[in-house]
Amino acid sequence: MITASHNPKEYNGYKIIPPHDTGIAASIEAQTELWDLPKDAQCSPLVTDPLHMVTQRYYYSLQQDLSFRPRQDNPKAAPVVYTPLHGVGLPWLQKAFSTFNLPPPVPVPQQALPDPDFPTVSFPNPEEGDGVLNLAFATAEARGIDLVLANDPDADRFAAAERDIRTGVWRTFTGNEVGILLAHWMWCCWRRDHMDDDPGCVVMLASAVSSKMLQAMAQEERFNFDETLTGFKWLGHRAVELQQAGFTPIFAFEEAIGYMFAGSPGSIKDKDGIAAAVVFAEMAADLKQWGIGVAQHLDSLKDLYGFFEVRASYFTSDKPADIRAVFERLRQDGNYPKALAGVEVTAVRDLDSGLDTAQAEGRSRLPWHKGDLMLTFTLDNVHTLTLRASGTEPKLKYYLEVSDEDDAAVAVALADKLEAAVASELVLPEKHGLTPNPNALLNAEVE
């Protein structure tokens, strides 16, 4: 896989998975010069550069489909700080802001230009939160700006942070939180422009390991919610299917800070960090016009749709067989765990066999095949825990979500109890030679 994404600088632009990594890496390093396109190909009518055409269509689609405020209002928006984290995002985001008639974003000067060595960060992934965004915070504070936007180096992922004007403390929003904020903004804008239309024609999507707060929003507002496997190949494909079936899939997200705007037939059916950043900026400008901060607005959404406490972390192992052994034990002879920390397991979905006891027919609605390492437990008919083997890293990941309609403290307390039991009752890392993530307690998030 050749990538300029959110990998550490040691990967230097590519990620190769064993067993063929050594030979492939040596071949790449042997090619130090770019190949020239043959002269006869350069003048061939079969060879064209589509960049200008694609760029024009992309920004036209952004303006037509995703800019909802009056153009005369956007220039009054407060400025934002932006970092591409040594990636390619800056000129594309500047053009997007211009297209929306928003004030130009203030770039972080040390991180504005592409640099494959990522000299100011150890890990150029805005999902990592505050440490990655320290320079952006310093730039914002020096200019009296309260909102920071960030893309990963190839600009398909997006993160945001807001400074509390009372305390001066920065809050970096999680991928689930940004997803809910954008989903609610897209819903409100669609509802405003389609007052006489049936909300049942609208659908929003999320991956199976993302927050179910979007599902709660859909139930309250009477639009449709759909769920897919992890990855935008699944979200994008499902959006196309729903579009062909007559639905309008206006938004999709994944907790790993990926967001897709799929409302029009020609829209991009993939995660798009540039679109997410400029839409988020316009949403924040609209909130600020009414004297509301982004975090304050997020709190009001909890009052509407409930409190969702999310815990996500992982265990590592150098041996894939160790991770597989955990799943084999948990599903042995179909004898799945009956409870976790005393909370009843009321449904099981196993993508190795296609079992889903929550469905009337007992079969998973998600694609599955033999050998899939992904188990989801529904707890007390409300809460969810998914165990999943990473496809690109030697990790067993878990995603726990606990919800309560009225009380965040209740959700937090139960999540604490259940998360502790993930290791002690389910994964048993000592038994299987796995290493827990030492920063697991730092990964809690509340929606």
Side-chain angles (χ1 to χ4, degrees):
M1 183 193 320
I2 307 300
T3 175
S5 188
H6 53 281
N7 300 305
K9 59 189 176 184
E10 287 76 15
Y11 289 11
N12 199 24
Y14 59 88
K15 176 165 42 174
I16 310 170
I17 307 301
H20 303 295
D21 52 331
T22 304
I24 294 174
S27 298
I28 291 173
E29 290 169 356
Q31 301 296 326
T32 58
E33 302 292 335
L34 294 176
W35 296 344
D36 289 328
L37 192 66
K39 290 184 179 180
D40 57 343
Q42 294 179 29
C43 57
S44 169
L46 300 176
V47 177
T48 60
D49 183 353
L51 179 61
H52 179 68
M53 176 195 68
V54 171
T55 300
Q56 279 191 317
R57 292 185 180 181
Y58 173 74
Y59 286 110
Y60 177 80
S61 177
L62 279 188
Q63 182 178 351
Q64 292 297 307
D65 300 335
L66 298 179
S67 181
F68 299 105
R69 300 182 81 223
R71 286 186 61 77
Q72 66 270 19
D73 289 351
N74 278 352
K76 306 168 192 172
V80 304
V81 162
Y82 170 71
T83 175
L85 290 176
H86 301 292
V88 299
L90 180 58
W92 304 99
L93 189 74
Q94 289 172 326
K95 175 69 173 174
F97 270 54
S98 175
T99 299
F100 274 49
N101 214 26
L102 288 164
V106 177
V108 177
Q110 303 95 320
Q111 299 172 333
L113 299 178
D115 187 334
D117 291 325
F118 312 122
T120 67
V121 291
S122 59
F123 205 81
N125 183 1
E127 191 178 8
E128 297 296 317
D130 297 355
V132 178
L133 299 178
N134 282 344
L135 280 175
F137 295 161
T139 301
E141 290 169 8
R143 292 174 171 262
I145 295 174
D146 297 322
L147 190 64
V148 162
L149 311 180
N151 287 130
D152 67 339
D154 65 347
D156 62 347
R157 299 177 189 237
F158 164 70
E162 182 184 53
R163 182 170 56 167
D164 188 315
I165 59 174
R166 296 164 299 175
T167 66
V169 175
W170 286 94
R171 174 176 177 175
T172 302
F173 299 106
T174 68
N176 282 319
E177 289 173 335
V178 172
I180 292 303
L181 287 162
L182 290 173
H184 186 260
W185 172 250
M186 293 298 294
W187 165 248
C188 289
C189 293
W190 185 90
R191 180 79 278 183
R192 181 197 66 193
D193 295 340
H194 301 83
M195 291 295 295
D196 297 327
D197 292 349
D198 180 5
C201 71
V202 170
V203 61
M204 296 199 211
L205 306 93
S207 67
V209 298
S210 299
S211 174
K212 300 301 183 287
M213 190 173 180
L214 180 58
Q215 185 175 23
M217 183 190 302
Q219 291 169 348
E220 179 70 22
E221 305 295 351
R222 298 183 300 113
F223 63 82
N224 294 287
F225 169 78
D226 208 340
E227 184 178 71
T228 75
L229 293 176
T230 303
F232 277 83
K233 68 177 182 180
W234 298 106
L235 288 165
H237 180 72
R238 183 61 180 150
V240 171
E241 288 182 337
L242 290 164
Q243 220 160 36
Q244 292 171 344
F247 292 95
T248 303
I250 61 176
F251 180 69
F253 84 94
E254 192 168 75
E255 51 81 33
I257 63 172
Y259 314 97
M260 178 179 82
F261 303 88
S264 65
S267 60
I268 297 172
K269 304 302 190 289
D270 200 353
K271 61 181 179 287
D272 182 350
I274 298 298
V278 71
V279 171
F280 192 95
E282 187 175 61
M283 176 201 72
D286 194 73
L287 291 170
K288 197 171 186 69
Q289 183 178 10
W290 298 100
I292 303 170
V294 176
Q296 181 184 356
H297 177 56
L298 183 61
D299 288 340
S300 72
L301 296 184
K302 298 174 197 174
D303 293 333
L304 279 174
Y305 306 122
F307 297 88
F308 292 76
E309 170 80 4
V310 174
R311 304 291 171 86
S313 192
Y314 57 84
F315 302 84
T316 60
S317 173
D318 293 332
K319 300 176 182 177
D322 292 342
I323 294 175
R324 181 172 294 276
V326 176
F327 287 89
E328 290 173 350
R329 176 176 51 79
L330 292 174
R331 59 167 61 116
Q332 187 172 12
D333 300 324
N335 295 316
Y336 300 95
K338 300 294 190 294
L340 181 67
V343 180
E344 182 186 5
V345 173
T346 51
V348 176
R349 181 174 63 201
D350 187 348
L351 295 188
D352 171 74
S353 62
L355 172 75
D356 189 345
T357 62
Q359 303 303 323
E361 64 279 12
R363 306 305 293 167
S364 172
R365 295 180 180 178
L366 298 179
W368 64 274
H369 64 78
K370 193 68 179 173
D372 276 354
L373 301 181
M374 184 168 171
L375 277 169
T376 298
F377 302 102
T378 302
L379 306 167
D380 196 24
N381 294 311
V382 177
H383 321 298
T384 59
L385 169 67
T386 294
L387 302 179
R388 168 179 166 264
S390 171
T392 59
E393 300 169 291
K395 293 179 179 179
L396 191 165
K397 298 183 175 182
Y398 68 83
Y399 307 82
L400 171 68
E401 183 167 53
V402 176
S403 63
D404 189 273
E405 290 185 359
D406 304 309
D407 195 335
V410 171
V412 169
L414 181 56
D416 287 342
K417 184 168 102 169
L418 291 171
E419 184 175 31
V422 170
S424 63
E425 297 182 21
L426 292 184
V427 176
L428 307 182
E430 296 85 0
K431 175 183 175 72
H432 292 284
L434 305 183
T435 302
N437 172 16
N439 298 319
L441 294 179
L442 301 178
N443 293 335
E445 58 181 75
V446 181
E447 275 92 58

